Amino acid sequence: MDDMTDTGARAQIDALRARMGDAIIGQREVIERLLIGLLANGNLLVEGLPGLAKTRAIKALARNMECDFSRIQFTPDLLPSDVTGTEVYYQGEGGGSFRFEPGPIFANLVLADEINRAPAKVQAALLEAMEERQVTVAGTTHRMEPLFMVMATQNPIEQEGTYPLPEAQMDRFLMHVNITYPPVEDEVEVIRLVRAEEIAAQAPADGAHVAPRAPIPQEAVFAARREIAALPVAPAMERYIADLVNATRVPGQFGDDLKRWIEVGASPRASLALDKCGRTHAWLAGRDYVDPEDIRAVVADVLRHRLGLSYEAQGEGVSPDAVVAEIVRHVALP
């Protein structure tokens, strides 16, 4: 098939990607994964060392969109009500009454910073909102906004005083994105970008005013989602998705190494996530069909947090990414 012609939704999403690229140097894959999560109506778990633009990325997305943004710093003393909100008693002239005060989870884009620093009850409150798109307080259900995405972050090296997410709860994230150090050339550009921002912030006001660019409307996201939902997937590609996920459940059929490494395979959520992310990746590339490269581009992000590796694999230092690469190598292309 021919590539799809440009549409209003596509032009606006491309503009959003370009604006984010102006604010984030050397993390193009992070920008793409954020957009995939947004357009696939999913939530992201982002893991990386401090200073690798995790917070800056979602702030750049929020700044250039017509949306509400909130940031929750997870700490050991955080309570579920600090995330979801609580009933507050108000005394008026006609008597008192309880009113619901929404918590920071009631925003379009939510940054859950260092999610593994909060205890299980707080994590469960956040994950319930992510999964059900609603919060129930004092017997009353409060719906989230139609545009809602959580980006949770965690630091891979600082594990003291943390509460690791249970594997079953990790499965609720559409993708688990790893952020690595940028190339040296990009780091030079980062230095220049931040220096220019500091100069601009300290410059005296001279009366000149540059009109801010209009934010990308939410309707552009909803229109893009409709196009992605209608994007056809060939039966051969559907079977390829299912075969990749099934290989995690019957690893013995694909080699002795995989049999030793994988203890628990991925759930059907992995197949659904691969389908959504593959279609979204194809749409962002301007195509009206999904090919194997779209699936391979996102398979590591979809599977790395859904695999239960054996003690033997951990002892040998085998990473989830190495296991996924071995699966991709063994599963036949359609």
Side-chain angles (χ1 to χ4, degrees), residues 20 67 81 93 112 155 202 214 239 278 302 309 327:
M20 293 177 67
C67 67
S81 59
E93 293 182 1
N155 183 340
Q202 296 175 11
R239 182 57 188 259
V302 169
L309 300 190
I327 289 171

Side-chain angles (χ1 to χ4, degrees), residues 2-334:
D2 296 331
D3 289 353
M4 286 190 290
T5 57
D6 197 16
T7 65
R10 181 178 307 286
Q12 290 176 314
I13 297 300
D14 284 344
L16 178 60
R17 175 161 47 183
R19 293 185 192 183
M20 293 177 67
D22 292 340
I24 307 166
I25 306 297
Q27 298 290 6
R28 297 175 186 85
E29 186 172 303
V30 177
I31 295 173
E32 183 180 72
R33 295 304 185 264
L34 268 176
L35 290 176
I36 289 176
L38 181 70
L39 298 179
N41 198 19
N43 303 289
L44 305 183
L45 177 63
V46 181
E47 187 168 319
L49 297 170
L52 293 182
K54 300 186 293 296
T55 300
R56 186 182 180 94
I58 193 165
K59 282 186 174 180
L61 174 61
R63 185 170 57 250
N64 289 289
M65 278 196 63
E66 183 184 75
C67 67
D68 295 324
F69 169 74
S70 69
R71 177 181 180 273
I72 309 170
Q73 179 63 55
F74 279 62
T75 57
D77 61 346
L78 204 67
L79 298 174
S81 59
D82 295 328
V83 174
T84 61
T86 187
E87 292 279 320
V88 177
Y89 184 77
Y90 285 90
Q91 180 68 48
E93 293 182 1
S97 63
F98 283 95
R99 298 181 201 166
F100 177 67
E101 289 292 334
I105 193 68
F106 286 90
N108 301 120
L109 301 179
V110 179
L111 172 61
D113 219 354
E114 296 187 294
I115 186 175
N116 56 340
R117 289 206 171 278
K121 276 189 176 182
V122 180
Q123 294 176 1
L126 174 71
L127 294 169
E128 179 188 7
M130 288 166 41
E131 182 75 9
E132 306 297 334
R133 301 301 173 97
Q134 64 184 32
V135 169
T136 302
V137 177
T140 302
T141 298
H142 307 273
R143 299 288 303 176
M144 318 302 294
E145 293 290 329
L147 180 66
F148 175 70
M149 183 177 79
V150 171
M151 186 181 109
T153 71
Q154 60 182 15
N155 183 340
I157 62 170
E158 197 173 355
Q159 299 302 323
E160 185 176 349
T162 62
Y163 304 82
L165 286 167
E167 287 79 0
Q169 294 185 355
M170 293 271 283
D171 195 29
R172 300 188 187 188
F173 287 98
L174 182 74
M175 292 190 292
H176 178 187
V177 182
N178 277 343
I179 302 183
T180 57
Y181 291 119
V184 173
E185 296 80 8
D186 287 337
E187 192 148 356
V188 172
E189 293 300 318
V190 170
I191 294 170
R192 293 171 180 166
L193 173 64
V194 174
R195 184 192 300 137
E197 289 175 348
E198 290 175 350
I199 293 172
Q202 296 175 11
D206 56 3
H209 178 69
V210 178
R213 291 181 290 189
I216 304 300
Q218 292 187 18
E219 179 52 38
V221 175
F222 299 140
R225 287 178 179 177
R226 289 191 291 270
E227 293 184 13
I228 292 167
L231 195 146
V233 181
M237 291 306 307
E238 294 173 339
R239 182 57 188 259
Y240 184 52
I241 290 171
D243 284 344
L244 285 169
V245 176
N246 187 60
T248 70
R249 303 168 189 160
V250 289
Q253 298 180 14
F254 296 89
D256 292 337
D257 284 339
L258 286 175
K259 183 178 180 180
R260 290 188 300 109
W261 292 342
I262 299 178
E263 190 169 285
V264 180
S267 76
R269 280 182 179 149
S271 300
L272 299 176
L274 266 180
D275 175 52
K276 283 184 179 181
C277 295
R279 281 186 283 119
T280 306
H281 188 275
W283 187 88
L284 285 170
R287 284 183 273 102
D288 63 350
Y289 60 93
V290 178
D291 67 18
E293 287 309 308
D294 294 312
I295 304 303
R296 289 185 166 197
V298 299
V299 66
D301 299 290
V302 169
L303 291 183
R304 67 165 56 100
H305 60 301
R306 292 184 162 96
L307 295 179
L309 300 190
S310 65
Y311 285 113
E312 192 171 354
Q314 296 174 39
E316 294 177 12
V318 178
S319 68
D321 285 13
V323 176
V324 173
E326 190 71 5
I327 289 171
V328 170
R329 190 171 72 86
H330 280 88
V331 175
L333 285 168

